[in-house]
Amino acid sequence: MAPNLFGSSATLFLEASQQDVSQKKSAADKTVTQKLAIQKAQSSKPKYQWKIVWRNLIAFVYLHLGAVYGLYILLTAARFYTFLWNLVVVVFAAIGVTAGAHRLWAHRSYKAKWPMRVILMLLQTTAFQNHLYEWVRDHRVHHKFTDTDADPHNAKRGFFFSHIGWLMLRKHPDVITKGATIDMSDLEKDPVVVWQRRLYIVLMPVFCFLLPTWVPCYFWNEKLMYAWYATLFRYTIQLNVTWLVNSAAHIWGMKPYDNTISPTDSYSVGISAFGEGWHNYHHVFPWDYKAAELGNYRTNFTTAFIDFFAWIGWAYDLKTVALSMIKKRAARTGDGSKYERDDHHDEHDHTHEGAIWGWDDADMAPEDKKGAQIINKSD
């Protein structure tokens, strides 16, 4: 996942003001532009140099120091209702990322009617991990080019880089040039995504910081300073849990489905990140709405959330993987930790050729689409 802090306000405003123009570009123009960008990058091949984003670095220092003080305030001085309120906010904001930005918009693993889409958009805004368009673009690039220089949080560069360091540095040129090849046409046509992107500079501070701080002060007379630092604690903890999917779930854990890639299945990350820690499975089958092979909700609260909205009819076309397909893939490429390996298959090397970001990716194998199970299918 790809939270990115404190982008230039001027840049966000410029993006919003120019969006109507950019959306009118034809698909052919985009394809030509993308090919030219890649050719130019390949011909010049500039040497990559680390450039620190000091604004982000200073912001992270303040956030983490403020979070430590916020924890102290919550334990010693703040009202108990303030703790409960921040717990509620962190849960729903996380759902905006996991069920919204990740499983709905980035991977298209299910569809949602407009009321659910609006709810998820507002919750994702509360999480403040950049607007949906940028979040999805970075995440799709991560899936297409995992563990390469084009991966925004390349785990091969170490835990610190994949956890938080990647947000303190300018992006590698490959992230930009190869990111231009990712199909984002679905989000460009989504009015909820377009609306959020246009108004993000206003929506984000209101939903992430101002409202969560105002509610305790107004409803149970919490001190402003206590409410503010409790908000910083909530936000910083939420960021670090998200980052664990990028870092810990790419370093420690099992690889039952493909032992040649870095993503792992991590029980602890799965619980703390509401079901996003079954990362080896997720990278093999990114279009499964459960993001895991699970038969219950104990370590996958996000799946329970989506299933509830499917029950009331707001979520539909939920894609998942047949057990036979899972076993076949695990027998061929897994580490044997969950399913027995098929000794008749030769060892294979991982290649990014044909890697997909989710449902409707042009590189998705026809047999995978044909073999997918679709729950609550629309007419």
Side-chain angles (χ1 to χ4, degrees):
M1 298 186 176
N4 192 359
L5 280 177
F6 297 95
S8 167
S9 296
T11 301
L12 285 172
F13 182 78
L14 185 61
E15 278 186 353
S17 64
Q18 293 181 343
Q19 182 149 4
D20 286 335
V21 176
S22 65
Q23 285 182 339
K24 294 178 181 178
K25 292 176 66 179
S26 67
D29 289 340
K30 288 186 179 181
T31 302
V32 171
T33 302
Q34 292 167 0
K35 289 182 178 179
L36 288 175
I38 295 173
Q39 290 173 358
K40 183 178 179 181
Q42 290 174 341
S43 61
S44 58
K45 292 184 178 179
K47 184 178 180 181
Y48 175 59
Q49 294 180 341
W50 286 17
K51 294 182 180 180
I52 298 175
V53 182
W54 289 102
R55 179 182 62 247
N56 285 10
L57 177 60
I58 294 169
F60 285 139
V61 171
Y62 170 69
L63 282 173
H64 284 80
L65 290 177
V68 171
Y69 184 63
L71 176 60
Y72 171 76
I73 288 296
L74 285 170
L75 293 176
T76 62
R79 297 175 182 269
F80 183 64
Y81 286 134
T82 302
F83 168 79
L84 289 180
W85 164 246
N86 280 278
L87 181 61
V88 169
V89 173
V90 77
V91 168
F92 282 100
I95 286 295
V97 175
T98 59
H102 189 219
R103 303 190 195 184
L104 176 61
W105 278 291
H107 296 298
R108 297 178 61 83
S109 62
Y110 70 100
K111 296 178 181 179
K113 295 183 179 178
W114 74 265
M116 183 180 182
R117 299 170 78 85
V118 171
I119 290 171
L120 288 172
M121 179 274 291
L122 292 175
L123 294 180
Q124 191 270 346
T125 304
T126 304
F128 181 22
Q129 296 183 7
N130 260 354
H131 55 70
L132 285 164
Y133 188 90
E134 184 167 354
W135 199 105
V136 170
R137 182 191 63 207
D138 282 352
H139 194 67
R140 288 181 179 180
V141 173
H142 164 64
H143 271 264
K144 291 289 283 189
F145 306 105
T146 307
D147 298 337
T148 69
D149 286 334
D151 185 345
H153 33 84
N154 182 4
K156 286 189 175 179
R157 295 172 67 181
F159 177 87
F160 183 80
F161 177 84
S162 60
H163 190 76
I164 188 175
W166 66 285
L167 292 165
M168 299 179 181
L169 300 173
R170 297 293 179 189
K171 291 180 178 179
H172 191 286
D174 283 2
V175 176
I176 299 171
T177 55
K178 292 186 178 180
T181 68
I182 299 298
D183 181 13
M184 296 290 291
S185 60
D186 54 321
L187 276 81
E188 292 166 0
K189 294 182 291 186
D190 189 324
V192 174
V193 175
V194 171
W195 186 81
Q196 186 217 33
R197 189 178 180 186
R198 285 177 176 171
L199 298 180
Y200 193 72
I201 194 173
V202 175
L203 294 174
M204 181 278 293
V206 170
F207 281 91
C208 182
F209 296 109
L210 297 182
L211 279 177
T213 302
W214 173 80
V215 167
C217 295
Y218 182 81
F219 286 98
W220 49 86
N221 296 318
E222 184 63 271
K223 292 184 178 180
L224 177 61
M225 185 181 72
Y226 293 176
W228 172 250
Y229 282 103
T231 294
L232 291 188
F233 172 74
R234 180 266 305 167
Y235 176 59
T236 306
I237 286 296
Q238 178 183 302
L239 283 181
N240 279 275
V241 170
T242 299
W243 292 334
L244 285 174
V245 181
N246 300 336
S247 55
H250 275 260
I251 298 174
W252 301 293
M254 300 181 298
K255 301 180 179 181
Y257 310 97
D258 193 333
N259 63 3
T260 67
I261 58 178
S262 69
T264 65
D265 278 11
S266 171
Y267 190 84
S268 57
V269 177
I271 294 175
S272 60
F274 293 175
E276 301 294 85
W278 312 108
H279 217 46
N280 189 252
Y281 179 92
H282 175 59
H283 269 257
V284 174
F285 304 108
W287 44 271
D288 189 334
Y289 88 99
K290 302 189 306 300
E293 184 198 356
L294 295 173
N296 56 64
Y297 300 138
R298 286 178 297 179
T299 54
N300 203 332
F301 179 70
T302 303
T303 299
F305 179 89
I306 298 171
D307 282 348
F308 169 77
F309 279 94
W311 178 64
I312 66 174
W314 287 13
Y316 58 100
D317 285 1
L318 283 60
K319 291 90 175 177
T320 189
V321 188
L323 182 59
S324 58
M325 185 186 297
I326 295 172
K327 289 183 176 181
K328 182 178 179 180
R329 177 60 185 267
R332 181 168 59 88
T333 63
D335 63 4
S337 59
K338 186 168 184 177
Y339 296 106
E340 187 176 351
R341 285 292 306 271
D342 186 347
D343 294 334
H344 293 92
H345 286 292
D346 296 329
E347 291 295 325
H348 72 290
D349 295 323
H350 177 66
T351 174
H352 291 282
E353 293 296 326
I356 65 171
W357 48 255
W359 194 264
D360 284 341
D361 187 309
D363 293 323
M364 185 173 180
E367 57 268 25
D368 285 352
K369 272 201 169 186
K370 186 177 179 180
Q373 295 181 344
I374 301 181
I375 303 170
N376 202 22
K377 192 171 182 178
S378 61
D379 295 332

